[in-house]
């Protein structure tokens, strides 16, 4: 007969495995349905599959399916109505600051206007983050910013991934702002930069972003020159915005 402790251990492992599998399936359902909604496979006002249909499609239990629907509702994509069932929300109700929603939007037909809108948001956030970083970043935070610029320089020599280094720089600056709200934009910024950096570099006619321009921002932060750090970050991002505006045949903006 198996020892009671062994039985308890095996039961716990089975429960943990089942819980993990449930979380993985929930994440898959959220990703599949979220992308389907954002790409208008399911349109606002059109019938949405019933709980039973979705459980059958994904071979999922009702608790797993309900958790996925709850997560999509929290992102503003779905809403439950008494006697009407689950409805798809119009785009105006979506949480565009949710990284998943933005990622799904960027996966549908390419929209330069979406990148323009987000770059304008960056223009209002990252210069302030650079200003605050120059004012109050810790030694390790400043070192992380410098390390990212060194990675960008290494990318110029073919020794690093240019995209990852560029993203690391902007994330490091946001974190170094030490503002809890600005730091909330790290995931969102990373999601968008994975699409926008490649586009802006193409429009600029270069294989990668300028390590030198990013280093100028980092130097101002390390020197503690808050005003200069903010100005240089503004110039860096506004340069990307100008490229997008020209490519989208929009007039330049103030």
């Amino acid at each position: 007969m198996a020892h009671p402790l062994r039985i308890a251990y095996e039961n716990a492992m089975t429960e943990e495995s089942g819980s993990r599998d449930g979380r993985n399936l929930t994440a898959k359902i959220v990703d599949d349905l979220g992308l389907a909604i954002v790409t208008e496979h399911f349109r606002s006002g059109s019938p949405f599959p019933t709980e039973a249909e979705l459980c059958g499609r994904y071979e999922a239990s009702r608790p797993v399916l309900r958790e996925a629907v709850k997560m999509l509702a929290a992102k503003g994509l779905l809403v439950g109505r008494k006697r009407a069932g689950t409805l798809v929300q119009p785009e105006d109700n979506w949480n565009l600051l949710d990284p998943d929603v933005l990622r799904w939007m960027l996966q549908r037909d390419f929209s330069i206007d979406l990148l323009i809108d987000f770059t304008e948001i960056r223009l209002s956030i990252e210069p302030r983050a650079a200003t605050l970083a120059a004012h109050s970043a810790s030694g390790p935070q400043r070192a992380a910013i410098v390390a990212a610029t060194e990675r960008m320089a290494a990318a110029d020599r073919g020794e690093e991934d240019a995209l990852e280094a560029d993203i690391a720089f902007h994330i490091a600056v946001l974190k170094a702002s030490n503002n809890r709200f600005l730091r909330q934009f790290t995931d969102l910024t990373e999601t968008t930069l994975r699409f926008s950096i490649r586009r802006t570099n193409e429009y600029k006619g270069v294989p990668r972003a300028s390590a030198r321009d990013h280093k100028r921002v980092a130097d101002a932060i390390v020197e503690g020159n808050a005003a200069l750090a903010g100005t240089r970050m503004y110039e860096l991002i506004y340069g990307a915005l100008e490229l997008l505006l020209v490519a989208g045949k929009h007039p330049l903006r103030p």
Side-chain angles (χ1 to χ4, degrees):
M1 180 179 294
H3 192 281
L5 289 178
R6 178 64 181 176
I7 294 173
Y9 173 78
E10 290 177 349
N11 287 342
M13 290 301 97
T14 300
E15 289 175 4
E16 173 61 24
S17 177
S19 176
R20 185 165 55 249
D21 290 344
R23 288 194 297 270
N24 290 341
L25 181 54
T26 299
K28 171 179 170 47
I29 295 172
V30 169
D31 196 57
D32 283 358
L33 293 180
L35 181 60
I37 292 168
V38 171
T39 55
E40 298 187 323
H41 181 75
F42 300 118
R43 295 175 180 271
S44 174
S46 63
F48 192 71
T50 65
E51 185 177 274
E53 289 172 335
L54 291 173
C55 285
R57 177 184 304 179
Y58 291 103
E59 298 182 350
S61 66
R62 289 183 183 272
V64 166
L65 193 282
R66 287 171 184 167
E67 180 64 20
V69 170
K70 185 196 302 185
M71 292 172 68
L72 290 168
K75 297 175 186 294
L77 273 62
L78 294 175
V79 63
R81 299 278 192 233
K82 287 185 178 180
R83 293 185 292 278
T86 302
L87 303 176
V88 175
Q89 293 273 62
E91 185 173 324
D92 286 347
N93 291 34
W94 299 351
N95 179 6
L96 302 185
L97 297 182
D98 183 293
D100 286 335
V101 175
L102 185 58
R103 175 170 56 83
W104 295 325
M105 292 182 74
L106 289 166
Q107 288 181 60
R108 66 188 186 186
D109 291 342
F110 173 70
S111 170
I112 197 167
D113 289 344
L114 181 62
L115 290 183
I116 288 171
D117 286 347
F118 190 76
T119 303
E120 288 189 321
I121 291 295
R122 291 183 59 210
L123 200 59
S124 66
I125 291 171
E126 292 191 54
R128 183 57 181 168
T131 298
L132 292 174
H135 179 261
S136 59
S138 66
Q141 288 172 332
R142 293 172 194 263
I145 295 171
V146 171
T149 62
E150 290 173 347
R151 288 177 62 188
M152 293 186 72
D156 287 342
R157 302 190 298 271
E159 300 169 0
E160 258 283 5
D161 185 299
L163 175 61
E164 296 299 332
D166 197 343
I167 290 173
F169 170 82
H170 291 281
I171 297 304
V173 173
L174 284 169
K175 290 182 176 179
S177 71
N178 291 317
N179 178 295
R180 68 193 69 190
F181 294 101
L182 293 179
R183 294 175 77 162
Q184 287 290 311
F185 283 89
T186 54
D187 289 344
L188 192 67
T189 297
E190 178 177 357
T191 297
T192 308
L193 288 178
R194 292 194 178 280
F195 286 84
S196 67
I197 287 174
R198 177 172 55 84
R199 292 285 179 175
T200 53
N201 288 344
E202 286 176 1
Y203 298 147
K204 198 173 182 179
V206 297
R208 64 189 67 86
S210 169
R212 177 179 173 277
D213 289 345
H214 286 69
K215 185 177 184 301
R216 290 178 71 244
V217 179
D219 288 345
I221 291 173
V222 171
E223 293 164 6
N225 191 330
L228 185 60
T231 297
R232 286 179 174 175
M233 181 65 90
Y234 184 93
E235 292 171 348
L236 186 68
I237 297 174
Y238 189 77
L241 177 61
E242 281 189 324
L243 290 170
L244 292 170
L245 289 169
V246 170
K249 297 181 171 56
H250 295 293
L252 297 182
R253 302 175 184 178

